[in-house]
Amino acid sequence: GDQVEQSPSALSLHEGTGSALRCNFTTTMRAVQWFQQNSRGSLINLFYLASGTKENGRLKSTFNSKESYSTLHIRDAQLEDSGTYFCAAEGAGYQNFYFGKGTSLTVIP
Amino acid sequence: GALVYQYPRRTICKSGTSMRMECQAVGFQATSVAWYRQSPQKTFELIALSTVNSAIKYEQNFTQEKFPISHPNLSFSSMTVLNAYLEDRGLYLCGARDRNTGQLYFGEGSKLTVL
């Protein structure tokens, strides 16, 4: 079965509002990385966390290895935030990163 | 900064022919390179994990005979899709892992279309 469960699969936000994306893990993960995939298919690095919380501008991410989840918070959404967001988690003892199925975010004017 | 150059960006090939793609890590040393395929439905499949000086580990449903990988040094990796058919279509992405930070950096992907 899937080791990374990402939700929601799709999200619409009005400009200026915010929400959270979440990834739950079915096994212990060592680290998590969040990406935004743009319309050209490029994966843009947002965060890499082995634990705790990181913040960058309007984005904030948390990784709780013990409780097996990670979140990505977006506040004050802008049109350019539209795209598909993926979390990828690194399994313990192995070097693979396992991807969630993505969240398609649409920011509405 | 850390970058991964991946090329070609897109290839259209006839059924039964092959496609080779290359990845170059710039600005960091890559301990490993993971090759993924993203389906048109956006799902990622891990094809193989390649670590310099170690055997390449292929995931279930992917074989060396079909997807041979070369990883000669800390900055370069290539993968070929041999005898491509319709089910091989998708966006192929290489992710290089930074030796110092552990972070993955991705190339822009090589989109394969099979006619």
Side-chain angles (χ1 to χ4, degrees):
Chain A
D2 291 345
Q3 299 192 338
V4 180
E5 298 165 349
Q6 186 172 345
S7 62
S9 56
L11 179 63
S12 291
L13 291 176
H14 286 281
E15 261 186 304
T17 64
S19 189
L21 285 55
R22 185 177 175 108
C23 283
N24 291 326
F25 313 122
T26 56
T27 61
T28 302
M29 299 295 184
R30 292 178 56 191
V32 69
Q33 199 160 343
W34 284 90
F35 300 91
Q36 179 192 21
Q37 189 170 37
N38 63 22
S39 57
R40 296 178 64 203
S42 300
L43 283 170
I44 301 163
N45 285 341
L46 298 177
F47 294 104
Y48 173 76
L49 301 102
S51 65
T53 298
K54 286 186 178 179
E55 196 162 351
N56 184 6
R58 297 177 291 102
L59 299 178
K60 182 169 76 173
S61 181
T62 295
F63 173 45
N64 188 322
S65 175
K66 220 172 188 181
E67 297 185 19
S68 297
Y69 75 89
S70 178
T71 57
L72 175 70
H73 290 260
I74 301 173
R75 63 176 174 84
D76 187 23
Q78 304 297 305
L79 294 177
E80 62 264 28
D81 295 332
S82 293
T84 306
Y85 290 77
F86 291 93
C87 67
E90 180 187 2
Y94 206 47
Q95 293 189 42
N96 287 349
F97 276 80
Y98 297 97
F99 276 80
K101 291 188 173 170
T103 297
S104 177
L105 172 64
T106 304
V107 180
I108 306 162
Chain B
L3 284 174
V4 174
Y5 290 108
Q6 184 175 350
Y7 36 87
R9 290 296 312 276
R10 58 185 69 237
T11 298
I12 300 172
C13 67
K14 287 185 180 177
S15 220
T17 62
S18 300
M19 170 202 179
R20 182 170 185 261
M21 57 201 89
E22 299 180 347
C23 266
Q24 180 113 29
V26 177
F28 68 103
Q29 288 187 322
T31 50
S32 61
V33 173
W35 286 92
Y36 291 87
R37 179 171 68 198
Q38 188 180 30
S39 69
Q41 294 73 35
K42 303 280 191 184
T43 305
F44 282 86
E45 293 178 281
L46 176 64
I47 297 170
L49 178 69
S50 170
T51 305
V52 175
N53 299 324
S54 291
I56 297 169
K57 293 180 180 175
Y58 285 85
E59 291 291 292
Q60 200 172 11
N61 301 326
F62 297 96
T63 65
Q64 183 180 6
E65 290 70 32
K66 172 75 174 176
F67 299 95
I69 290 170
S70 171
H71 191 181
N73 56 53
L74 287 173
S75 63
F76 182 82
S77 179
S78 67
M79 185 177 76
T80 302
V81 181
L82 292 173
N83 299 318
Y85 289 98
L86 282 176
E87 59 265 27
D88 297 319
R89 290 172 304 171
L91 179 67
Y92 288 81
L93 290 145
C94 66
R97 189 187 179 108
D98 188 314
R99 184 184 210 175
N100 292 325
T101 67
Q103 191 168 355
L104 268 185
Y105 293 95
F106 278 91
E108 292 192 314
S110 299
K111 185 176 179 181
L112 174 61
T113 301
V114 182
L115 301 178

